[in-house]
Amino acid sequence: MSTPARTAPLEAVIFDVDGTLVETERDGHRLAFNQAFAVHDLPYQWSEEEYGRLLATTGGHRRLAGYLESRGHDPAAAADLAAAVHRTKTALFVEWVRAGVGLTARPGAHRLIDGLRHAGVTVAVATTGRSAWVLPLLERLFGLGAFAVIVTGDDVERLKPDPQAYQLALDRLHLAPVAALAVEDSPPGLEAARAAGLGCVVVVSEYNRHHSFSGALAVVDSYDGCRGEEGRVHDGPGLTADSLLALHSAASSDAG
Ligand code: XBP
Ligand code: MG
């Protein structure tokens, strides 16, 4: 007698923020880091290209500390200086977010979130960014009421690719990983979601076009489902509540 497949309904989708809901990095965080360097009289400015490499380290504070060490600051001094520069960067970025400067939701993100909520699927956030800017940004672009749970870098000790942010989101949602999916844009984000036991759909962001994202349930270049350079993107209407429900159902049957 064959064992019936173990299927679980999709109850929640947990979104990353940076790169996933909003393209914040190149023309947002990077510029705030550069302005903070100037405020602290430091002779550094991150180009678009260099910042792309630095994104391998998640967390603005850790990114700064590693960079300062690489520029010859001793580790203890680098940590203190990174904390000070990061405070300035965060304050600047919060100001920009509150002023509504240049940051918009990725095309199709609203449509997907509305569709999920309409389908009765809970929407949540798990990011390693700081709550000081994450909350006003989500409030301005989506309304905080769209999200049942928001986990930020202030809520966890270990940032992505560690799974802690996703595990905390699942705890707060009172869900097992099998009942949820993650939506991510980057290799550390995918790794974090998978390490938490979640299936993960990748909506590739501008800094991550050349990664392969093995282990993702699906990889799309945009919420609207444009075809990717390597033809690894499905055709059709893009990511919808229905397509996420179908991906989740196929994945949980495979696991059963
Ligand atoms: C985002 C990050 C963050 C942002 C900057 O990664 O690593 O550090 O770059 O924000 P993910 P902070 O999208 O995987 O969550 O300066 O607030 O850290
Ligand atoms: Mg991201």
Side-chain angles (χ1 to χ4, degrees), residues 16-20 22 24-25 29-30 33 51 54-64 86 89-90 93 126-134 153-154 159-161 165-166 184-190 192:
D16 169 52
V17 176
D18 290 300
T20 300
V22 192
T24 45
E25 296 290 4
H29 294 304
R30 183 181 68 91
F33 284 116
Y51 190 66
L54 293 168
L55 284 174
T57 303
T58 58
H61 178 201
R62 295 188 331 144
R63 190 171 302 140
L64 278 166
H86 192 242
K89 175 264 167 183
T90 299
F93 197 62
T127 171
T128 54
R130 294 307 179 130
S131 60
W133 63 262
V134 169
D154 293 292
L159 304 183
K160 298 174 190 174
Y166 279 109
E184 273 288 351
D185 70 300
S186 70
L190 171 63

Side-chain angles (χ1 to χ4, degrees), residues 156-232:
V156 292
E157 284 169 16
R158 300 179 302 280
L159 304 183
K160 298 174 190 174
D162 189 281
Q164 198 182 12
Y166 279 109
Q167 286 162 341
L168 183 58
L170 288 166
D171 283 353
R172 290 185 181 170
L173 291 164
H174 306 291
L175 290 177
V178 70
L181 284 182
V183 181
E184 273 288 351
D185 70 300
S186 70
L190 171 63
E191 191 179 331
R194 298 249 306 152
L198 287 158
C200 183
V201 173
V202 173
V203 186
V204 184
S205 56
E206 56 195 6
Y207 268 123
N208 291 293
R209 296 284 173 218
H210 302 296
H211 291 281
S212 62
F213 294 109
S214 76
L217 293 181
V219 182
V220 294
D221 277 1
S222 74
Y223 289 96
D224 297 324
C226 301
R227 180 170 290 279
E229 281 163 22
E230 289 110 38
R232 54 190 157 85

Side-chain angles (χ1 to χ4, degrees), residues 72-108:
H73 297 254
D74 80 71
D80 288 348
L81 186 54
V85 175
H86 192 242
R87 269 195 300 278
T88 303
K89 175 264 167 183
T90 299
L92 287 165
F93 197 62
V94 169
E95 253 177 56
W96 297 352
V97 166
R98 291 198 191 284
V101 180
L103 294 169
T104 54
R106 285 186 67 176

